[in-house]
Amino acid sequence: MGRTSPHLGGVLRFPDGFGWGVATASYQIEGAVREGGRGESIWDRFAHTDGNVLGGDTGDVACDHYHRYRDDVALMAELGVTDYRFSLAWPRLQPDGTGELNPAGLDFYSRLIDELLAADIVPWVTLYHWDLPQRLEDSGGWPERDTAHRFADYATRVHERLADRVQHWSTLNEPWCSAFLGYAEGRHAPGRRDHAAAFRAAHHLLLGHGLAVQGMRANDRDSSFGITLNLYPVDPASDTEQDRDVARRIDGLMNRLFLDPLLRGSYPADVLDDVAPVLDASHLQADDAEIISQPLDFLGVNYYTRHVVTAGPQPRVWTPDQPTSSWVGSADMVQVKRGLPTTDMGWEVDPAGLHEVLTRLHREYGPIPLYVTENGAAYPDGVDSDGQVRDPERVRYLAEHFRAAHQAIADGVDLRGYFVWTLLDNFEWAWGYSKRFGLVHVDYGTQRRTPKDSARWFARTARAGGLDAGEWVR
Ligand code: IFM
């Protein structure tokens, strides 16, 4: 845990109109996986396959938000939330990933949106947060080009029905995770381990994004369209040429492989060279770059930690038979821990990294309106005997990251809002229910919601439009 400084006085005020949000995702909270005509998603199949999710947990019930959404919206209103980022479950809207929209699915999201608007909360829709219809995976999934077209068709149909009440549309959440955790490492659905497939998936996710933005914008010039990426500063552990080269590769795969085609219209040449041994370019077509680089109205940034990497004992040339982790760079073997405090995920707490990510985007890719679409921390919270949930580490984590964001704004970054991950404790993917990221504690046996101290802190901060300058300085 860090040190606290004396109270300095004053308030770090954020700009007028700054969005004070929370974010969630469909499979992580909705439950009701077999209701309202919802089809099977890759996460249903993956979670129901032995050995994939800790404790055999599934999203079958999750936070039962499908039935409790009214109470959850009321809770958000109590917490001073001005903006709510949530995702639509594609298989609830198109059970097989194609064709007419399912009326019951549409009705659910329509009711949720009405409830939000009635509570004066701005809805932010994410069209894809990892729950691909299983039927599309059966036809090859994201490594297949057709999935990009199916996604654009789904997006355009849904947008047509909800655009009268939703102005903020994000196509994808963290396509790096969909591509590399899902198709290369197999730690996420659909659980495949095929390096080349992961790169094709990444390309088709980006293509689907571009086609979807084109389709939605053709019908609607007024709404804002964007995408959310998980971004990290990647630093070499030392100044050796080997470490600097590894940092370049990992930055290439985790950040620039997505940022460059979206915002510069081409893949980074060094990354294409790096992956040439495992990938031919036959899936890239002439017009793709232009489609992917549709103008964006905003970029969503999900920030959790920094990667400090070392070459270690790895070979310097990647080959298809290497462990995937050594070239997607998410494994501990290339990461150096610096002895900083960690969250329950084992991720080092590094608020300066948020400032670095935001200022880098502004400097190298800007100007573009930015939103922190996710930031938050898991800690092993419990309800005390007096019914309170005390989570000082989370308060500290959030205060420090808000300060870093405030500094980025002071340094000229066009940051317009901040969504805390997440409203409710929920299904944390391969970790099941063992990791608690929520501002609100969920008792999964009773579905009782208990706002944590951090929820009250968030409410105070959102209502004040900023935070006390003396709060939690490392
Ligand atoms: O829970 C996830 C979320 O679905 C995507 N971003 C990271 C979060 C924490 O791991």
Side-chain angles (χ1 to χ4, degrees):
M1 233 181 254
R3 292 172 290 112
T4 55
S5 77
H7 179 82
L8 302 173
V11 167
L12 290 182
R13 193 166 295 289
F14 283 70
D16 287 347
F18 192 78
W20 298 93
V22 291
T24 65
S26 47
Y27 190 71
Q28 293 181 272
I29 64 166
E30 283 181 6
V33 294
R34 282 178 274 284
E35 287 183 50
R38 179 184 175 282
E40 187 188 18
S41 80
I42 55 174
W43 267 96
D44 296 302
R45 179 72 64 91
F46 185 78
H48 277 272
T49 305
D50 283 351
N52 284 340
V53 176
L54 195 68
D57 291 345
T58 72
D60 287 4
V61 178
C63 304
D64 196 30
H65 173 74
Y66 184 78
H67 297 114
R68 294 166 195 262
Y69 71 93
R70 284 200 177 87
D71 293 344
D72 291 339
V73 172
L75 194 52
M76 283 187 249
E78 274 170 36
L79 299 184
V81 168
T82 61
D83 297 70
Y84 177 47
R85 170 179 179 256
F86 60 101
S87 77
L88 311 181
W90 185 351
R92 215 178 263 300
L93 290 155
Q94 278 183 326
D96 292 332
T98 179
E100 293 295 311
L101 295 183
N102 168 30
L106 200 56
D107 181 56
F108 168 64
Y109 292 115
S110 194
R111 284 182 282 119
L112 170 61
I113 290 162
D114 285 345
E115 199 73 18
L116 289 165
L117 294 174
D120 214 13
I121 297 172
V122 179
W124 287 68
V125 162
T126 298
L127 287 154
Y128 185 72
H129 196 127
W130 308 351
D131 36 8
L132 183 72
Q134 180 62 41
R135 195 62 77 83
L136 294 184
E137 175 58 23
D138 295 342
S139 308
W142 285 110
E144 290 302 317
R145 191 174 182 89
D146 187 55
T147 305
H149 290 284
R150 298 280 61 78
F151 176 69
D153 171 72
Y154 148 72
T156 312
R157 286 176 193 258
V158 171
H159 167 268
E160 202 178 306
R161 301 299 299 273
L162 299 178
D164 57 335
R165 286 159 295 151
V166 177
Q167 266 88 54
H168 304 283
W169 295 86
S170 180
T171 52
L172 307 174
N173 179 71
E174 302 181 354
W176 181 88
C177 295
S178 301
F180 291 100
L181 297 182
Y183 289 94
E185 294 197 25
R187 287 196 279 141
H188 279 189
R192 282 160 64 178
R193 291 194 172 83
D194 175 345
H195 304 166
F199 281 97
R200 287 199 304 275
H203 181 69
H204 295 139
L205 282 151
L206 289 169
L207 183 66
H209 153 83
L211 291 167
V213 170
Q214 275 185 335
M216 294 189 287
R217 200 175 262 146
N219 301 328
D220 173 5
R221 296 266 148 207
D222 299 328
S223 291
S224 69
F225 300 102
I227 185 170
T228 278
L229 303 178
N230 49 320
L231 299 171
Y232 311 80
V234 183
D235 293 345
S238 78
D239 203 32
T240 61
E241 193 193 328
Q242 289 88 336
D243 281 1
R244 279 191 280 117
D245 192 52
V246 166
R248 176 194 62 73
R249 291 179 191 210
I250 302 304
D251 177 55
L253 286 169
M254 302 198 80
N255 299 320
R256 292 181 289 117
L257 184 68
F258 296 89
L259 288 168
D260 282 23
L262 287 165
L263 296 165
R264 292 183 174 162
S266 60
Y267 284 112
D270 62 315
V271 178
L272 292 184
D273 284 351
D274 288 342
V275 300
V278 293
L279 186 71
D280 67 38
S282 58
H283 61 296
L284 307 179
Q285 295 190 8
D287 296 339
D288 291 358
E290 197 189 324
I291 296 170
I292 291 170
S293 58
Q294 295 303 302
L296 292 181
D297 297 308
F298 67 91
L299 177 67
V301 177
N302 291 0
Y303 174 77
Y304 289 93
T305 193
R306 176 196 305 268
H307 295 312
V308 178
V309 296
T310 182
Q314 295 172 79
R316 297 209 50 216
V317 177
W318 293 336
T319 59
D321 55 344
Q322 280 182 58
T324 306
S325 52
S326 69
W327 51 283
V328 298
S330 63
D332 285 338
M333 62 175 286
V334 294
Q335 285 190 32
V336 175
K337 297 284 184 198
R338 292 161 294 158
L340 296 179
T342 55
T343 68
D344 201 25
M345 299 295 283
W347 300 342
E348 287 188 330
V349 178
D350 191 336
L354 175 59
H355 178 266
E356 270 180 56
V357 165
L358 295 173
T359 49
R360 177 192 190 182
L361 290 171
H362 179 69
R363 206 175 45 246
E364 295 181 19
Y365 294 93
I368 178 168
L370 300 177
Y371 290 83
V372 174
T373 36
E374 283 183 28
N375 172 249
Y379 289 106
D381 312 306
V383 183
D384 290 340
S385 53
D386 61 357
Q388 302 296 309
V389 182
R390 296 177 172 84
D391 59 341
E393 292 103 333
R394 184 174 292 100
V395 171
R396 178 177 308 224
Y397 180 99
L398 291 173
E400 289 178 346
H401 285 78
F402 274 119
R403 287 177 62 87
H406 187 273
Q407 186 59 49
I409 296 171
D411 292 339
V413 173
D414 185 6
L415 180 70
R416 301 191 179 181
Y418 202 123
F419 296 81
V420 171
W421 184 266
T422 177
L423 174 66
L424 305 168
D425 291 340
N426 62 42
F427 178 82
E428 177 54 26
W429 308 112
W431 293 98
Y433 296 99
S434 68
K435 305 292 179 197
R436 294 183 175 272
F437 272 92
L439 293 176
V440 175
H441 181 276
V442 175
D443 177 327
Y444 297 110
T446 61
Q447 290 295 345
R448 185 185 166 88
R449 274 82 161 129
T450 307
K452 303 177 188 176
D453 281 355
S454 58
R456 281 181 280 279
W457 175 87
F458 176 86
R460 276 200 308 280
T461 306
R463 292 204 169 101
L467 64 162
D468 190 311
E471 283 188 278
W472 309 118
V473 184
R474 260 182 215 289

